[in-house]
Amino acid sequence: MKKGQLGPEPMRYYVEPVLAELSYIRMDKDPFPTPQEAQVWFQLDERTKTAFVPLRIVNEERGTVLAALVGEHYGRIVVSFPPTNFGQTTFAAMESELEKIVVETAADGE
């Protein structure tokens, strides 16, 4: 899994966010204020995280959604999604948790 270059403490933002494709365990498209939004769930070891995301970043065929890894806070990687009518979803997870849901692509090996 790729990680970005860290900035200064305490929240250490990557100099450039890293785009990651995360596999989700469930997605709901209804009911939402607009048809362009969805709610997705991620299994992170023993806990589940949810995110409200624009449908344009969801790949239903692959069961994945795009996310930006934006930095690190207290040893956890901060994951961020584009905003929706519900605001912007952000959560933090251990690298070991994310490695289980990050989908490797051909570009990752370059």
Side-chain angles (χ1 to χ4, degrees):
M1 180 171 87
K2 290 183 181 179
K3 293 173 59 178
Q5 180 182 354
L6 294 175
E9 293 279 10
M11 169 61 189
R12 300 186 69 197
Y13 288 95
Y14 296 146
V15 174
E16 293 183 22
V18 176
L19 190 60
E21 189 174 2
L22 308 179
S23 62
Y24 59 83
I25 58 170
R26 177 180 166 198
M27 180 184 68
D28 284 341
K29 292 189 227 179
D30 294 316
F32 289 99
T34 67
Q36 295 85 20
E37 298 174 343
Q39 184 176 13
V40 292
W41 284 260
F42 304 98
Q43 187 64 49
L44 300 174
D45 289 343
E46 300 299 318
R47 61 196 176 112
T48 303
K49 286 290 188 177
T50 184
F52 293 100
V53 300
L55 268 178
R56 70 179 184 278
I57 66 168
V58 175
N59 185 328
E60 291 184 68
E61 289 179 13
R62 290 173 55 94
T64 62
V65 63
L66 293 176
L69 308 181
V70 296
E72 296 182 21
H73 189 61
Y74 294 109
R76 294 179 180 267
I77 297 174
V78 179
V79 181
S80 184
F81 301 91
T84 68
N85 286 324
F86 295 99
Q88 184 172 14
T89 301
T90 301
F91 66 81
M94 298 299 296
E95 183 175 355
S96 60
E97 294 174 312
L98 288 177
E99 285 177 339
K100 295 175 185 171
I101 64 169
V102 169
V103 176
E104 299 293 332
T105 61
D108 291 336
E110 296 176 359

